[in-house]
Amino acid sequence: MSEPISRATPARATPAQATPVGATPAPAGERLARRAATLDAGDPLAPVRDRFVLDDDTVYLDGNSLGALSTGVLPRLTDVITREWGHLRIRSWEESGWWTAPERIGDRIAPLVGAGPGQVVVGDSTSVNVFKALVAAVRMAPEDRTEILVDAATFPTDGYIAESAARLTGRTVRPVAAGETAAAAGPRTAAALVNHVDYRTGRLHDLPGITSALHAAGALAVWDLCHSAGALPVSLDADGVDLAVGCTYKYLNGGPGAPAYLYVRRGLQARFDSPLPGWNSHADPFGMAPGYAPGEGAVRGRVGTPEMLSLLALDAALDVWDGVSIADVRAKSLALTDFFLECVAALVPAGRLQSVTPAAHAARGSQVSLRCAGAAGVMRELTARGVVGDFRRPDVLRFGFTPLYTRFADALRAARVLADVLGEATGETHPTEGTP
């Protein structure tokens, strides 16, 4: 449901907004510029921006599709290519730790999703891992549980794979709204595949509550974390999640096509029956036995030879998380999206936009999606003017806020350019004071 963007009350009040009694209020642009400067000056994550390759000519608000390059990736890949591959060659599988990289890097991701060690393995694409997780979940369910619940607004691939998993296991798929999953689960439900954050709207769904309801109904919970991990706290172990998947090229900044990850709760690992039993997950991979015997633990999620270059690029990218508190990330994410919505309300011509992202913090991920007539053309013009977001048909502008490198000044600049583009289309103007 779309929500009107209110001009009445700013999303988040700070002392910097106070106006002395009897003083003339500052124009909107000037007030917002002062607030952006104050918020950036007090940002505990501000130094982390220097860990990324960025330019001040562009406001990059598409980290929910592809995260920025971190400064440590190029030297790491240079060493991998010239020394590990170029000099050591085949010896690097042992001497450089290539063979154990999927589990080792999985253990680096684990704290970002609230998982203990030994439960996350990195490799393959998100789509492949969704297939592994969902089929394995259904195989663990009794045969009389004949349906798979799927988020009706899911990213299309998740839906396609759920249909394939259902055909493979003799089940049927029932699409339901993510928020209705808990109520829809019943004695016929084998498993549910749910997105933690909706990719179109940025709505954050109730992972603990839905997981608990699925378990009460005797079903397993499979979560897609693509738009949440790295942007907000996730507590897979504490919330009892059974299986989860996620990509690493969005908020984890692993690079285009970076390998995804698969979480299998420790208590289920012995029962995890992968539909893709490759030699890398065999108990004795170099025994080359004709029969398959699964390995122990998270290694069961592996299939074939790891994609080493992209896997080790991801390893280097994860260095940016050293010393970073996920609580600080979440606090800044909410503050950024609040401030952006406040700037849009103050600067954009009235009636041109509607937010489809929930106003409530408990239901918001780390993006703002705005419904706009002519959205495709608007986004093209924004990009041409140095504000990079993206567009989803038919009429949604998406702006992803990556707290590790997005500044409050960036949020203001994006709103100002958006106001310019829409104002030019209507002939309206907006305040120009205090442009950062």
Side-chain angles (χ1 to χ4, degrees):
M1 179 180 294
S2 299
E3 300 185 21
I5 298 177
S6 171
R7 295 175 181 270
T9 305
R12 177 176 294 227
T14 71
Q17 290 179 269
T19 301
V21 176
T24 302
E30 182 180 333
R31 284 188 290 104
L32 293 169
R34 286 204 307 266
R35 286 199 58 223
T38 299
L39 290 165
D40 281 328
D43 175 18
L45 297 177
V48 181
R49 180 178 167 88
D50 293 336
R51 301 178 189 178
F52 292 89
V53 179
L54 298 163
D55 59 88
D56 289 332
D57 294 333
T58 301
V59 174
Y60 188 67
L61 299 180
D62 210 5
N64 55 327
S65 284
L66 177 63
L69 172 67
S70 70
T71 57
V73 169
L74 181 57
R76 177 70 175 106
L77 275 184
T78 299
D79 181 64
V80 168
I81 292 170
T82 59
R83 183 180 63 84
E84 296 182 8
W85 180 14
H87 176 63
L88 295 176
R89 293 179 286 275
I90 197 71
R91 292 159 54 193
S92 278
W93 286 104
E94 291 187 9
E95 295 181 27
S96 300
W98 286 5
W99 183 260
T100 58
E103 293 78 47
R104 174 173 54 80
I105 299 170
D107 282 346
R108 298 193 69 189
I109 291 173
L112 300 176
V113 294
Q119 298 175 102
V120 178
V121 63
V122 181
D124 304 313
S125 68
T126 307
S127 302
V128 171
N129 282 319
V130 169
F131 180 72
K132 287 186 281 189
L134 191 55
V135 172
V138 174
R139 284 177 172 176
M140 289 186 240
E143 291 186 3
D144 61 351
R145 290 186 171 263
T146 57
E147 71 175 12
I148 301 170
L149 300 182
V150 178
D151 179 354
T154 190
F155 187 75
T157 294
D158 285 16
Y160 306 155
I161 288 173
E163 291 285 355
S164 178
R167 291 194 301 272
L168 182 67
T169 59
R171 267 69 169 189
T172 59
V173 168
R174 179 155 69 102
V176 297
E180 298 173 7
T181 303
R188 294 176 54 230
T189 308
L193 173 61
V194 194
N195 289 268
H196 196 192
V197 172
D198 185 281
Y199 79 100
R200 283 192 189 88
T201 67
R203 176 177 290 276
L204 173 64
H205 295 125
D206 180 10
L207 184 150
I210 292 173
T211 300
S212 177
L214 287 169
H215 288 171
L220 295 182
V222 182
W223 285 90
D224 183 329
L225 308 178
C226 285
H227 287 267
S228 57
L232 53 89
V234 182
S235 302
L236 296 181
D237 283 354
D239 292 330
V241 169
D242 300 301
L243 301 111
V245 300
C247 65
T248 62
Y249 51 80
K250 300 184 192 308
Y251 294 113
L252 298 185
N253 309 295
Y261 57 90
L262 169 67
Y263 164 89
V264 182
R265 179 161 58 84
R266 193 177 310 282
L268 295 179
Q269 289 177 357
R271 299 170 56 202
F272 181 82
D273 182 9
S274 174
L276 298 172
W279 76 285
N280 258 235
S281 63
H282 197 283
D284 182 15
F286 291 96
M288 304 299 173
Y292 180 72
E296 296 296 325
V299 71
R300 289 189 177 207
R302 293 174 66 156
V303 183
T305 304
E307 49 277 83
M308 290 312 305
L309 296 183
S310 56
L311 189 59
L312 295 175
L314 167 63
D315 192 22
L318 292 171
D319 289 346
V320 302
W321 290 94
D322 291 348
V324 171
S325 161
I326 197 67
D328 286 344
V329 170
R330 179 57 169 165
K332 184 178 177 183
S333 166
L334 293 172
L336 276 168
T337 49
D338 278 344
F339 183 64
F340 178 67
L341 286 167
E342 179 185 346
C343 292
V344 168
L347 302 176
V348 171
R352 292 301 310 274
L353 299 169
Q354 285 186 311
S355 176
V356 295
T357 300
H361 285 181
R364 187 194 308 167
S366 198
Q367 73 183 55
V368 173
S369 295
L370 303 174
R371 181 160 287 138
C372 172
V378 170
M379 186 53 70
R380 281 195 298 270
E381 187 60 27
L382 286 172
T383 302
R385 300 188 191 194
V387 174
V388 180
D390 65 16
F391 156 71
R392 287 292 177 265
R393 296 177 185 175
D395 58 359
V396 173
L397 304 172
R398 291 197 319 171
F399 301 95
F401 291 83
T402 304
L404 297 185
Y405 54 76
T406 306
R407 301 170 297 194
F408 290 89
D410 297 329
L412 175 55
R413 180 179 163 195
R416 297 192 66 84
V417 175
L418 179 59
D420 286 340
V421 171
L422 295 178
E424 289 167 10
T426 62
E428 298 183 41
T429 58
H430 64 84
T432 58
E433 300 85 349
T435 302

